[in-house]
Amino acid sequence: MAINRTLAAFGLMFYLFLIGVKMDPKIVLKSGKKALFIGLVSSIIPFILVGTATYFLRTFIGASIARGKFLIFLVATLTITAFPVVSDILTELNLLNSELGRLAMSVSMVHGILGWFFMALFTMLNQSQGGLRKAAWALGSILLMVCVIVFGFRPWMLWIARRTPKGGRVSSLLLHAIVVSVIVMGLVSEMMGASFAYGPLIMGLMVPDGPPLGTDLVEMIGNMVNEVLMPLVFTVAGAAVTPLVVLHLRGWIVLIMLALIAYGSKLLATMGPAIYCGISFRKGFILGLMMNFQGVIELITYMNFENGSLLDDESYTLLVFTIIIITSVATPLVKHLYSPLGHDLIGRRDIQHLRPDAEMRVLACLLNEDHIPSILGLLEAACPTQETPMCVYVLHLVELTGRANSALIAHKNKKGFINPSNMDRLHNAFIHYEQDKQGIVAVQPFTAIAPFKAMHQDICSLAGDKSVAIIILPLPGKDASGGFSEQDQAFRTNIPHILSKAPCSVGLLVHMGLTVTVLSTPANFQHHIGLLFWGGPDDRESLSYAARMVRHTGVTLTITRFLSSSSTMSNGKEAEMDNDVIEAFRKENSDNLRASMNEVFVNDMEQTISAIRNFSRVGYDLIMVGRRLSWNSILNDELEEWSEFPELGVVGDMIASSDFESEFLILVVQQGP
């Protein structure tokens, strides 16, 4: 058991160090008045209420925890929300980068500042039992330790971050040196009279979050801490639990009353200021539930109280039960009640239903610089003019690693001023394109830092907020081994979520055999586009997009319309809408020699596949196709189960397969809801 306790202590030490690494203390300054107001009210009011209730009920509380001035720390633990707990649970619920998720993180950071104050105060009062001189020595030692960390350890961390090239890895020797320094500081912290965890936590706060240093530290020791050491912490914590505590009804009722007052008052004290700040009642209630999340930080605090003989085993057990009960209630309620992508759509958001003179808004999402030329080519092909301008929202998608806070960063304010912070070559390429177009194209650069599994929320939320007509999403290509990298594979899991939850049309851009893409200048722009048309909403949207493109003098468009000589046709209403779009296109381009349309009659799957193969070998620069087919169930029924990339649809997958040895781009279009 002694060995388990020792390893558990190391686990807590590194766990709190990693918490500090992932945290950015400057978030408190950036969180804004709303988060600061909600955070202060939701922590101070419950603290006062629970403190008052504890004072009047102190005679009913067991003598083992009614230790005068130490009772205040139990009250603080019940009323203050731990930032790491909120971060972990929101990450599990895929809500970390949602509107309420970001607000909850900022509010919990305010709670964290108050928690650190109580932590320092607890250390001072704990040492004061040995006399004022010992308390003063402990306080002075802690201040000295903080100064050493701030003025010695932090410059070292900044030096390591500066000397590491962008995209590079921190030296393994330096990472191991940091780990050793964390252990040493934990021992020094314990010798000075503070907890062994205080020093590592402060050290973690001094490490720049995110890549390269924060990311490499999390990757190096994160798995060991989470998979090996933290289970030992839970084992040690569970060993002190005595389930028979429920037999002691009197003490059980008093502690449960205090817990209910704490959680209930925190819920109401969060809802009140949230509603005052303009948040709806429903979202205020959900935010209150988020602020009641309990987890490992509260467990660690109760363990310290129990180890310091401030709690007996029965009281410790009851408090552990409250953690389990409140989290098991609040977490599923938040998951059930909160949908971060609940858009209230007004009108249609797609290209087909845009007014001829309306601004076309496009959201271009990019993981890296590889897809910049193809995206710029699509934008140029859309033929923006003074009469039909274009606004492009460029969203650089960055995986959240080595930090706890997701972020959606806008690099240009409403006055058009560009904030160079976090700007990179990806954004600059589009800013230069905006300057070349001289007012015809407006570019709004954004960066989304989020976990891959939740990136679809930032994409869909931004599309809804900005009322874009289409999301352009380049799909990662295969690497030299014929597979996908771990990062690309993780991102591709977002595609079905984007297709099902996007408030507008979606265009999936696929590179076929393109190793180096050379973008011609706008003056010399030439693009040969081929479009496959069966019918249905996706094909109509694809045709509407192509109709805008063919207005460009450098674009040549060839449409192949598939018809069946048999009776297998779409319903009358769909066929009528298809014909209306076709006729409108023919009328608009009756004198345009760069636009042509061919009709192909097919009767079975073999003829259809043959026609698609012949089409893809013509030598187009771009092939456009609707994602879902409205008819020709032969392709849907018999080929869908063999699709390598089902998100592209049957035809898109067929063209993108390795059977075609050609170089071109594919744009698979799905019309918005």
Side-chain angles (χ1 to χ4, degrees):
M1 191 63 182
I3 296 177
N4 286 345
R5 284 185 171 273
T6 302
L7 293 176
F10 278 101
L12 289 178
M13 191 184 304
F14 284 114
Y15 178 77
L16 293 174
F17 172 70
L18 290 179
I19 285 176
V21 170
K22 295 178 182 179
M23 291 174 63
D24 181 6
K26 293 181 291 185
I27 288 179
V28 178
L29 302 176
K30 301 176 182 178
S31 57
K33 296 180 180 179
K34 180 192 297 185
L36 184 61
F37 175 55
I38 297 174
L40 290 175
V41 173
S42 62
S43 56
I44 294 175
I45 290 181
F47 182 80
I48 294 174
L49 292 177
V50 179
T52 303
T54 303
Y55 176 79
F56 287 108
L57 295 174
R58 67 187 186 280
T59 57
F60 300 99
I61 300 176
S64 57
I65 64 172
R67 298 286 298 274
K69 54 192 175 184
F70 290 108
L71 197 58
I72 190 175
F73 301 108
L74 176 60
V75 175
T77 305
L78 288 171
T79 55
I80 290 178
T81 302
F83 170 87
V85 172
V86 176
S87 174
D88 288 344
I89 296 179
L90 290 179
T91 300
E92 289 297 320
L93 295 177
N94 288 338
L95 297 177
L96 188 63
N97 58 333
S98 63
E99 176 191 5
L100 282 187
R102 290 194 173 103
L103 180 58
M105 294 290 286
S106 298
V107 172
S108 64
M109 276 294 291
V110 178
H111 280 239
I113 297 296
L114 297 176
W116 296 335
F117 168 76
F118 280 108
M119 180 177 68
L121 186 60
F122 175 79
T123 301
M124 290 176 55
L125 292 178
N126 193 31
Q127 292 298 320
S128 67
Q129 296 181 95
L132 185 61
R133 187 173 183 178
K134 186 175 181 181
W137 167 257
L139 179 60
S141 300
I142 292 174
L143 291 177
L144 177 62
M145 179 183 68
V146 172
C147 290
V148 170
I149 293 174
V150 172
F151 299 106
F153 181 75
R154 179 165 175 77
W156 182 35
M157 295 298 98
L158 295 177
W159 176 79
I160 293 175
R162 284 195 304 268
R163 73 184 296 270
T164 304
K166 186 176 181 180
R169 308 282 297 190
V170 179
S171 166
S172 176
L173 180 62
L174 291 174
L175 292 176
H176 283 88
I178 294 173
V179 170
V180 172
S181 66
V182 171
I183 297 175
V184 172
M185 191 57 68
L187 297 176
V188 171
S189 179
E190 183 73 20
M191 292 170 58
M192 288 181 173
S195 170
F196 62 85
Y198 292 177
L201 175 60
I202 299 173
M203 291 179 71
L205 292 172
M206 296 299 105
V207 177
D209 64 333
L213 187 53
T215 300
D216 287 353
L217 281 171
V218 172
E219 289 181 358
M220 177 182 177
I221 63 178
N223 287 335
M224 178 190 68
V225 172
N226 294 326
E227 304 296 334
V228 179
L229 297 179
M230 285 308 293
L232 291 175
V233 174
F234 298 132
T235 300
V236 173
V241 172
T242 55
L244 295 179
V245 70
V246 295
L247 299 178
H248 301 275
L249 189 59
R250 187 182 181 191
W252 178 75
I253 289 178
V254 173
L255 278 179
I256 291 299
M257 286 179 60
L258 291 178
L260 290 176
I261 294 173
Y263 301 138
S265 60
K266 193 190 299 185
L267 176 65
L268 295 176
T270 302
M271 291 179 61
I275 295 173
Y276 177 80
C277 293
I279 298 175
S280 66
F281 179 87
R282 181 187 180 91
K283 289 186 176 180
F285 177 72
I286 295 171
L287 182 61
L289 291 175
M290 291 178 177
M291 299 312 296
N292 274 307
F293 287 156
Q294 302 280 292
V296 67
I297 298 300
E298 289 78 14
L299 180 63
I300 292 172
T301 304
Y302 297 146
M303 287 175 63
N304 286 336
F305 287 166
E306 196 260 348
N307 291 334
S309 300
L310 302 177
L311 288 174
D312 63 358
D313 289 346
E314 293 181 352
S315 302
Y316 168 79
T317 300
L318 291 173
L319 291 172
V320 170
F321 281 169
T322 63
I323 295 176
I324 298 172
I325 293 172
I326 190 63
T327 303
S328 62
V329 172
T331 303
L333 278 177
V334 170
K335 184 176 182 179
H336 176 72
L337 294 175
Y338 185 44
S339 175
L341 299 179
H343 303 292
D344 298 324
L345 296 180
I346 300 177
R348 299 295 298 270
R349 293 184 182 177
D350 52 36
I351 298 175
Q352 181 185 350
H353 296 91
L354 277 179
R355 298 193 313 272
D357 58 342
E359 177 187 60
M360 181 176 171
R361 298 185 178 185
V362 178
L363 174 59
C365 307
L366 298 96
L367 278 174
N368 49 51
E369 301 173 13
D370 296 344
H371 305 290
I372 292 176
S374 55
I375 293 291
L376 289 177
L378 277 182
L379 299 180
E380 178 62 27
C383 193
T385 63
Q386 292 288 354
E387 293 74 22
T388 57
M390 179 184 295
C391 182
V392 183
Y393 299 92
V394 180
L395 183 61
H396 185 193
L397 303 172
V398 179
E399 183 183 11
L400 179 69
T401 56
R403 66 182 75 187
N405 294 87
S406 66
L408 181 61
I409 305 169
H411 300 287
K412 183 186 288 188
N413 61 20
K414 295 181 179 179
K415 296 181 180 179
F417 175 77
I418 297 178
N419 180 6
S421 175
N422 293 318
M423 287 279 285
D424 49 30
R425 292 192 301 176
L426 186 151
H427 291 120
N428 291 332
F430 289 90
I431 295 298
H432 291 155
Y433 178 70
E434 176 189 33
Q435 295 169 351
D436 290 340
K437 300 305 290 184
Q438 300 179 351
I440 297 176
V441 176
V443 172
Q444 299 288 339
F446 289 83
T447 297
I449 304 174
F452 270 136
K453 63 180 181 180
M455 273 185 180
H456 63 279
Q457 295 182 6
D458 280 325
I459 296 172
C460 296
S461 295
L462 186 61
D465 293 341
K466 303 303 181 182
S467 300
V468 304
I470 189 170
I471 300 170
I472 301 297
L473 195 66
L475 296 189
K478 294 182 178 180
D479 55 25
S481 63
F484 295 98
S485 67
E486 184 178 348
Q487 182 187 57
D488 291 344
Q489 188 63 40
F491 176 73
R492 289 185 75 97
T493 60
N494 280 275
I495 305 302
H497 298 295
I498 297 172
L499 292 171
S500 62
K501 298 178 180 180
C504 59
S505 296
V506 178
L508 303 178
L509 186 63
V510 183
H511 295 245
M512 290 298 298
L514 295 179
T515 54
V516 178
T517 305
V518 179
L519 180 68
S520 57
T521 61
N524 301 319
F525 184 81
Q526 297 290 328
H527 236 47
H528 190 190
I529 300 174
L531 185 143
L532 295 171
F533 188 92
W534 273 263
D538 292 353
D539 282 3
R540 292 193 293 268
E541 180 74 359
S542 179
L543 180 57
S544 299
Y545 195 4
R548 283 181 170 262
M549 293 181 177
V550 80
R551 298 172 188 170
H552 196 294
T553 55
V555 171
T556 302
L557 174 64
T558 301
I559 300 173
T560 298
R561 185 182 186 186
F562 285 82
L563 299 172
S564 175
S565 56
S566 65
S567 58
T568 308
M569 295 294 291
S570 58
N571 62 54
K573 184 178 180 181
E574 285 288 319
E576 183 179 350
M577 289 190 289
D578 293 342
N579 291 329
D580 290 342
V581 172
I582 291 291
E583 290 303 318
F585 175 82
R586 284 174 169 167
K587 182 178 180 180
E588 180 182 354
N589 294 278
S590 58
D591 298 327
N592 188 350
L593 299 179
R594 291 176 287 101
S596 61
M597 180 178 296
N598 304 317
E599 294 184 348
V600 176
F601 287 87
V602 292
N603 296 314
D604 52 35
M605 185 172 63
E606 287 75 12
Q607 290 183 2
T608 304
I609 295 176
S610 177
I612 294 173
R613 287 180 179 275
N614 293 334
F615 181 88
S616 64
R617 294 191 180 100
V618 172
Y620 296 110
D621 300 305
L622 172 66
I623 292 180
M624 301 179 65
V625 62
R627 179 174 174 270
R628 298 164 297 190
L629 302 179
S630 64
W631 63 280
N632 202 334
S633 60
I634 298 175
L635 286 180
N636 279 327
D637 293 341
E638 299 191 16
L639 294 182
E640 191 171 90
E641 59 184 66
W642 298 97
S643 295
E644 184 179 4
F645 309 114
E647 63 270 18
L648 298 179
V650 174
V651 177
D653 175 79
M654 189 183 304
I655 300 175
S657 68
S658 57
D659 295 340
F660 297 100
E661 298 178 357
S662 51
E663 297 183 355
F664 52 88
L665 293 172
I666 307 169
L667 184 65
V668 181
V669 179
Q670 175 180 290
Q671 191 175 49

